[in-house]
Amino acid sequence: MKNKNELRLYKREWSRKHNGVTKESLSNSCTWRGRRAEMIALQVLEGSVDMNKDIMNKHYDIEWNGLKIDVKSSNLYKRKIKRGKPIKKCCGWWVFHKATTDSDKYFCICMISNIPVRYYLIPQDAFGNGITVGWKSEKFDKYLLNKTL
């Protein structure tokens, strides 16, 4: 059984092996995608403070205007097979899961092939245990910050 530090180093090496060594993966982060999403959120939310800059065990990622914000990112998921038959046309959706309850809001980044297309800033009570956002999700449109597609 690996201890906590060995497990952290193992995850970092696995991420570098599968995602390549980048500027983000060489920083304090174990996961490249999560850290990259945090960097995007820092650019979009002007004046925000990176809480994971020095230590990676905070319960939230960013502090902005006195709010604790947890950053989530998801690539577009498309179903390929339904009942054993291939699907020809599927628009897809994004899924975000909740990990902590210490955050006031969740900054969700919807991506297509690792390129951000939508940003949502969702309050904790609307997030529940997680959310699913589709192309025509009118339920979360009031939390939409930016939409490029």
Side-chain angles (χ1 to χ4, degrees):
M1 185 83 179
K2 296 180 180 183
N3 65 25
K4 189 174 182 179
N5 193 35
E6 289 173 342
L7 188 60
R8 181 180 61 85
L9 293 173
Y10 170 77
K11 287 181 180 179
R12 179 182 290 166
E13 291 305 316
W14 183 91
S15 177
R16 288 180 182 170
K17 178 181 174 186
H18 288 84
N19 298 313
V21 178
T22 63
K23 182 181 176 184
E24 290 87 0
S25 69
L26 292 174
S27 67
N28 259 349
S29 176
C30 295
T31 58
W32 174 77
R33 287 186 184 136
R35 187 65 181 158
R36 181 173 177 259
E38 291 170 14
M39 293 300 177
I40 292 170
L42 286 168
Q43 292 174 354
V44 173
L45 301 174
E46 294 179 8
S48 56
V49 179
D50 185 10
M51 300 310 291
N52 291 327
K53 186 176 182 180
D54 299 324
I55 189 166
M56 292 297 293
N57 62 355
K58 293 275 187 182
H59 293 284
Y60 55 97
D61 300 322
I62 291 174
E63 198 168 290
W64 180 62
N65 293 339
L67 297 171
K68 299 174 185 175
I69 299 174
D70 195 16
V71 179
K72 303 288 180 189
S73 66
S74 176
N75 267 313
L76 184 70
Y77 172 76
K78 289 187 177 183
R79 189 173 179 179
K80 296 179 176 92
I81 296 176
K82 182 177 180 182
R83 296 187 190 104
K85 297 178 182 176
I87 296 174
K88 294 180 183 175
K89 186 177 179 182
C90 179
C91 58
W93 57 89
W94 296 276
V95 179
F96 301 97
H97 300 285
K98 185 177 188 178
T100 63
T101 58
D102 295 339
S103 303
D104 299 324
K105 293 191 181 255
Y106 293 89
F107 186 79
C108 299
I109 303 172
C110 301
M111 299 188 189
I112 298 176
S113 300
N114 291 324
I115 299 171
V117 293
R118 291 185 186 179
Y119 306 114
Y120 291 92
L121 190 60
I122 302 173
Q124 182 182 6
D125 56 346
F127 200 82
N129 288 332
I131 61 168
T132 301
V133 179
W135 282 100
K136 300 176 184 176
S137 291
E138 296 173 2
K139 180 179 178 182
F140 299 106
D141 279 350
K142 57 186 169 187
Y143 307 119
L144 186 64
L145 294 179
N146 184 9
K147 181 177 176 181
T148 58
L149 287 179

